[in-house]
C-alpha cells in the first residue's frame, strides 16, 4: 500500500535529506513537507523535487492547529515524521523562547491534531518523533553509552525542550493509544547541514581563511552519524518499529572535537589546493567554552540493531571525506546562507568567545 507522509521541518538539514531519501526509496509514496522556513529552513534543499508530482511543499508553522488539521485531511496523511524544531544549542542559550514554542508547543499541537484525526485511519497510522541523545545529559569518559532506559537529564534549554516533547509523545501512546515512536540519535553530519553547526562551520571557515573556534579544551566527545544512515534508520523504525517504543540511533563513531577539527583540516589540505591559509590547522583557535557544555555523548544502538536489524554503514573517515567534498562542490548552496543575519549571529555568538575571530 502506498503511504502519504507529512514531514515537518522537511526544509531543514535532516528533514530534507529524509525527503530525498524517502522519495528515492519509496517512489510511489507521497510526501507533504510542512516547514515554517525559519533561518534554518531552506527551499533550495528541496529544489530538485519541485516537479515531482509526489512532492508537496507547504510553508507554515506546526503550532498552527487549523493548518495541521487541514493538511492531514486534504492529503490523507497516514504517517507523520516530525523533524521540525529549533535545533541549535548555542541559540537556545542566547534566546530560549522559540525553543519552548516550537519544540514543546509545536509537538503538542501535532499530537492533538493526530489524536483527533487518527480514528479515520483504521489503525494504519504512525507518528514518528525525531529526538536527540542530548535528553540523556552528559557522560564521563568511562561511563557506558546511553541506552533507551538511561534516565533523562537534559542540560541546555534546547535539550530540555526536546525532553519535554519526548515525554508528551510517550504520554500520547499510553493515554490515547496513539501509535507513536520516538528515536533519539547522536550528532548527524552530511549534505545541507546549516553553517552554524561544527562540521560545516569548520569547512566553510577553512575555505574563507577564518579562525576555527574550538570551545574549551576541545576534549568534548560526540558520536557522529552520517545523515543518510540516520534516514535509513528512521525508515526502519517507521516500517518495523513497535508503537510506544524508543530507539537510540548512533554512528558508533566517538571523536573528540579537536580530533574532528584536525581531520577536517587534513581533508581540506588534501582536497582543496590553494587554501587562503595552509596548513589549515594554523587556523585552530581555542575559545571560551559553551555554558553547560556536555562533555561526552555516546549511543548504545544495540536495540535497533538486534530488534530491527539496522546498523550504520558509513565510517567517520568515509563520511567526512564525502561531506568535505560536498561543501567544496556546493559553494553556491552555502554562500548565500552567510547573510547579514548570519553575520550578526556570528558576531554575537563568537565575539564574546574571543576577540581573534
Ligand atoms: P534544522 O535546524 O536544520 O531544521 C529544522 C527545520 O524545522 C527547519 O527547516 C525549520 O525551518 C523548521 N522549523 C522550525 N520551527 C518550525 C515551526 N515552528 N514550524 C514548522 N517548521 C519549523 O534541524 P535538524 O538538524 O535537521 O534537526 C531535525 C530534527 O532532528 C530536530 O528535531 C532535532 O532536534 C533532531 N536532531 C538533530 C540532530 C543533529 O545532529 N542535527 C541530532 C539529533 C536530533
Ligand atoms: O547530539 C545531537 C545534537 O547534535 C542535536 O540534538 C542538535 O540539534 C545538534 O545541533 C547537535 O548538537 P551539538 O551541540 O553537539 O552540535 P554542534 O555542531 O553545535 O557542536 C558540536 C560540538 O562542537 C559541541 O561539543 C560544541 C563544539 N563546537 C561547536 C561549535 C558550533 C565548537 O567547539 N565550536 C563551535 O564553533
Amino acid at each position: 500500500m502506498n503511504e502519504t507522509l507529512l514531514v515537518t521541518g522537511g526544509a531543514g538539514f535532516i528533514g530534507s535529506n529524509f525527503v530525498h531519501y524517502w522519495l528515492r526509496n519509496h517512489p510511489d509514496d507521497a510526501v507533504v513537507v510542512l516547514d515554517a522556513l525559519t533561518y534554518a529552513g531552506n527551499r533550495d534543499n528541496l529544489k530538485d523535487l519541485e516537479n515531482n508530482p509526489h512532492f508537496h511543499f507547504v510553508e507554515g508553522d506546526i503550532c498552527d492547529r487549523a493548518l495541521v488539521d487541514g493538511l492531514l485531511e486534504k492529503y490523507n496523511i497516514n504517517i507523520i515524521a516530525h523533524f521540525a524544531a529549533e535545533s541549535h544549542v548555542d541559540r537556545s542559550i542566547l534566546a530560549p523562547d522559540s525553543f519552548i514554542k516550537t519544540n514543546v508547543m509545536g509537538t503538542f499541537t501535532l499530537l492533538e491534531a493526530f489524536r483527533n484525526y487518527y480514528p479515520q485511519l483504521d489503525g494504519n497510522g504512525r507518528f514518528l518523533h525525531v529526538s536527540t541523545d542530548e535528553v540523556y545529559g552528559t557522560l564521563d569518559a568511562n561511563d557506558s553509552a546511553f541506552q533507551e532506559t538511561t534516565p533523562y537529564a537534559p542540560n541546555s534549554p534546547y535539550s530540555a525542550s526536546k525532553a519535554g516533547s519526548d515525554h508528551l509523545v510517550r504520554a500520547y501512546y499510553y493515554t490515547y493509544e496513539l501509535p507513536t515512536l520516538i528515536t533519539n540519535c547522536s550528532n548527524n553530519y552530511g549534505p545541507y547541514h546549516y553553517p552554524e553547526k561544527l562540521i560545516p562551520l569548520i569547512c566553510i571557515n577553512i575555505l574563507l581563511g577564518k579562525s576555527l573556534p574550538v570551545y574549551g579544551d576541545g576534549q568534548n566527545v560526540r558520536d557522529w552519524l552520517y545523515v543518510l544512515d540516520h534516514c535509513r534508520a528512521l525508515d526502519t523504525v517507521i516500517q518495523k518499529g513497535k508503537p510506544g517504543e524508543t530507539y537510540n540511533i548512533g554512528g558508533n563513531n566517538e571523536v573528540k572535537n579537536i580530533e574532528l577539527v584536525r581531520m577536517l583540516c587534513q581533508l581540506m589540505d588534501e582536497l582543496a589546493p590553494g587554501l587562503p591559509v595552509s596548513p589549515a590547522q594554523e587556523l585552530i583557535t581555542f575559545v571560551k567554552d559553551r555554558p553547560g557544555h556536555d562533555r561526552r555523548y555516546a549511543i548504545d544502538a544495540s536495540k535497533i540493531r538486534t530488534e530491527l536489524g539496522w546498523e550504520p554503514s558509513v565510517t567517520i573517515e568515509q563520511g567526512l571525506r564525502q561531506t568535505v567534498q560536498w561543501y567544496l562542490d556546493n559553494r553556491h548552496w552555502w554562500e548565500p546562507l552567510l547573510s547579514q543575519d548570519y553575520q550578526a549571529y556570528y558576531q554575537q555568538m563568537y565575539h564574546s568567545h574571543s576577540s581573534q575571530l
Side-chain angles (χ1 to χ4, degrees):
M1 201 197 106
N2 295 344
E3 318 281 5
T4 306
L5 283 76
L6 178 66
V7 179
T8 72
F13 163 46
I14 306 176
S16 61
N17 276 286
F18 179 79
V19 172
H20 282 110
Y21 165 91
W22 195 274
L23 289 171
R24 240 187 347 261
N25 290 280
H26 307 275
D28 296 328
D29 288 355
V31 170
V32 181
V33 166
L34 171 60
D35 197 295
L37 296 181
T38 67
Y39 79 93
N42 186 351
R43 280 211 66 170
D44 274 356
N45 297 0
L46 300 164
K47 204 167 55 186
D48 50 322
L49 296 173
E50 257 155 33
N51 295 322
N52 183 333
H54 294 263
F55 170 73
H56 309 273
F57 183 84
V58 179
E59 182 175 347
D61 194 323
I62 56 167
C63 298
D64 182 343
R65 174 70 193 273
L67 174 65
V68 176
D69 284 344
L71 292 178
L72 295 177
E73 295 281 350
K74 176 175 174 189
Y75 291 103
N76 295 315
I77 302 293
N78 69 315
I79 296 172
I80 296 182
H82 175 33
F83 295 85
E86 288 294 337
S87 70
H88 192 35
V89 174
D90 291 324
R91 287 190 194 250
S92 85
I93 295 166
L94 292 171
D97 309 50
S98 60
F99 287 74
I100 306 306
K101 188 168 169 291
T102 289
N103 300 359
V104 181
M105 291 308 294
T107 302
F108 170 67
T109 307
L110 290 172
L111 285 166
E112 277 289 275
F114 192 59
R115 176 161 84 93
N116 177 59
Y117 170 78
Y118 179 65
Q120 298 177 34
L121 294 179
D122 295 327
N124 175 36
R126 294 247 148 157
F127 186 113
L128 170 71
H129 176 62
V130 179
S131 191
T132 172
D133 57 1
E134 301 202 13
V135 298
Y136 299 122
T138 186
L139 295 169
D140 287 333
N142 296 322
D143 289 342
S144 45
F146 299 131
Q147 296 180 312
E148 288 79 358
T149 49
T150 302
Y152 274 33
N155 290 320
S156 72
Y158 162 70
S159 52
S161 68
K162 291 297 287 187
S165 65
D166 291 9
H167 292 321
L168 284 168
V169 174
R170 176 190 155 91
Y172 273 62
Y173 169 76
Y174 283 99
T175 305
Y176 303 115
E177 298 182 2
L178 290 185
T180 63
L181 298 143
I182 300 175
T183 54
N184 294 92
C185 72
S186 57
N187 287 60
N188 283 222
Y189 69 104
Y192 305 113
H193 205 179
Y194 190 78
E196 67 193 353
K197 305 282 172 68
L198 180 68
I199 288 180
L201 185 140
I202 296 298
C203 292
I204 291 170
N205 281 15
I206 292 173
L207 291 171
L208 300 178
K210 290 177 70 177
S211 299
L212 310 179
V214 176
Y215 297 163
D217 61 5
Q219 300 297 308
N220 302 67
V221 173
R222 296 293 182 264
D223 182 355
W224 292 95
L225 171 65
Y226 192 63
V227 65
L228 289 174
D229 271 339
H230 183 203
C231 293
R232 196 166 45 78
L234 297 176
D235 187 358
T236 306
V237 171
I238 288 172
Q239 312 285 348
K240 302 202 238 165
K242 194 164 155 236
E245 293 287 317
T246 286
Y247 298 93
N248 281 354
I249 305 170
N252 211 10
N253 276 313
E254 279 189 63
V255 188
K256 288 181 178 151
N257 289 344
I258 185 63
E259 285 169 12
L260 182 85
V261 172
R262 290 199 179 113
M263 287 166 83
L264 289 168
C265 288
Q266 279 165 11
L267 279 166
M268 278 289 181
D269 288 339
E270 178 194 329
L271 298 173
L275 289 170
V277 175
S278 176
Q281 291 204 23
E282 285 176 11
L283 292 167
I284 293 175
T285 312
F286 289 92
V287 300
K288 202 171 107 197
D289 210 353
R290 171 188 280 175
H293 193 179
D294 287 334
R295 193 66 172 166
R296 172 177 165 241
Y297 302 142
I299 282 273
D300 177 344
S302 52
K303 179 174 170 182
I304 189 172
R305 187 179 67 242
T306 54
E307 293 185 13
L308 307 185
W310 174 88
E311 273 187 309
S313 67
V314 177
T315 65
I316 188 78
E317 289 78 12
Q318 294 165 332
L320 284 185
R321 182 170 284 271
Q322 286 173 32
T323 303
V324 165
Q325 193 60 54
W326 192 87
Y327 279 88
L328 289 172
D329 294 342
N330 290 279
R331 213 174 168 118
H332 62 277
W333 177 84
W334 57 262
E335 263 176 352
L337 300 178
L338 311 182
S339 60
Q340 259 185 344
D341 282 356
Y342 182 77
Q343 299 304 337
Y345 160 76
Y346 200 91
Q347 265 300 105
Q348 183 186 14
M349 177 60 216
Y350 291 98
H351 198 67
S352 61
H353 282 257
S354 162
S355 54
Q356 298 171 62
L357 296 167

